[in-house]
Amino acid sequence: MKIGTRRILNALLLILPFVVLLLLGFGLRRESAHVALKPAPSAEKVVKIEPQFCNGHDWQLIDNLSISAADKLNLKAELFKMQIEAGFLEGTPVLSGNALNPAFIAYLDNFYRAEENADVPVFFALKIAEMASKGTPDLIIQKFKTSILDRLRTAKIIQ
Amino acid sequence: MKKLMVVLLVIGFFCISHDALAKYNFVNGNNWVAVDAYGISKADKTNIKIMFIKSAIEPAFFNGRPLVENKKDNDYTSYVKIIDQFYSSSENRDMPLFFCVRIADMKLGNSSDLEINNFRLSVMQKLKQIGLE
């Protein structure tokens, strides 16, 4: 092979990785532009509207039943237990600490007395009760509650 | 002496945990049937039962793994009817309500009786294995 041809080949081999990188970069830019041009999926199509969950209205319904106070407390404890169990059997515990703490029922009673909390599902109310029992500041609890309600309303899970 | 203490602690732990598990009762057919004993209207009884179903569904839904797939609109009464029928048989009373809701959903989704029975048996077997039934 002539010296001139070898030099040209060497130069080509030297340039080749840069050319490949250049082409790859160009390809990636085109791909990202293509992705960006795709319309974002509409939130309306993704959201599946679910019916109401167990919340303050149900809690009030129990309070209005013509049964003894002990039976009401028992019913609430069973609903509470059902939530804990469902979380445990489904694989993600609802609460991190003492699961069957009777003080949580009293907290929920108090929590659902406020009309503004009636739409908060019991699932989240239990989390709030646990936060309160661990001494979380009231401001953080309020922010947590507001963000939960906002998200559930945005997703049209609650009204 | 230290080894003996460790062995005793381990044995104690297993005894306590086994005892705690053995004493645990799931929300099951007995709780479900107890609702019928309350001196309240049929509509209120159905409402309470629906609350139980919603409580079973909620954690799974909010954790992104829905328990039910065949619910139509806001209708839980069909679930109540199926679970009422299921728990009317005393041999099913020990089945936790959580799994019973799943069975009702399978029935509404037109699963065969064989599939449902296999699911029921596997749940009962698993609960026996881990000492929760």
Side-chain angles (χ1 to χ4, degrees), chain A residues 48 50-55 58-59 61-62 65-67 71 74-75 78-94 100 121-124 152 157, chain B residues 24-28 31 34-35 38-40 44 47-48 51-65 68-69 71 73-74 76 96-99 127 132:
Chain A
K48 190 181 167 189
E50 288 288 329
Q52 82 244 15
F53 292 97
C54 205
N55 55 25
D58 294 300
W59 219 250
L61 205 137
I62 294 174
L65 288 174
S66 52
I67 53 175
D71 282 341
N74 189 38
L75 261 179
E78 282 175 359
L79 286 177
F80 177 80
K81 195 178 163 192
M82 186 70 248
Q83 291 262 352
I84 304 292
E85 254 177 49
F88 159 72
L89 292 170
E90 179 268 329
T92 317
V94 178
L100 294 170
V122 173
F123 177 80
F124 293 108
L152 294 178
I157 289 170
Chain B
Y24 187 79
N25 290 315
F26 282 102
V27 175
N28 57 23
N31 303 86
V35 174
Y38 290 127
I40 48 176
D44 281 339
N47 280 334
I48 292 173
M51 282 181 215
F52 274 112
I53 295 172
K54 287 195 287 189
S55 295
I57 288 169
E58 259 179 54
F61 176 80
F62 288 120
N63 288 324
R65 291 183 285 269
V68 294
E69 292 159 5
K71 176 170 47 60
D73 303 325
N74 285 348
Y76 283 107
L97 180 59
F98 178 83
F99 295 112
L127 290 174
L132 285 174

Side-chain angles (χ1 to χ4, degrees), chain B residues 67-68 70 79 82-83 86-87 92 95-113 115-124:
Chain B
L67 178 67
V68 294
N70 302 299
Y79 283 84
I82 293 170
I83 297 171
F86 183 80
Y87 280 143
N92 293 331
M95 170 72 81
L97 180 59
F98 178 83
F99 295 112
C100 206
V101 173
R102 182 81 193 112
I103 287 173
D105 192 59
M106 286 169 84
K107 279 201 175 179
L108 287 170
N110 297 325
S111 295
S112 67
D113 284 349
E115 276 179 285
I116 292 166
N117 203 35
N118 281 344
F119 176 78
R120 187 182 66 87
L121 289 173
S122 67
V123 167
M124 295 309 278

Side-chain angles (χ1 to χ4, degrees), chain A residues 4-24:
Chain A
T5 321
R6 192 176 282 172
R7 276 183 181 168
I8 291 167
L9 268 174
N10 279 344
L12 278 174
L13 279 172
L14 200 70
I15 293 165
L16 193 68
F18 295 104
V19 174
V20 169
L21 280 174
L22 200 73
L23 287 171
L24 270 174

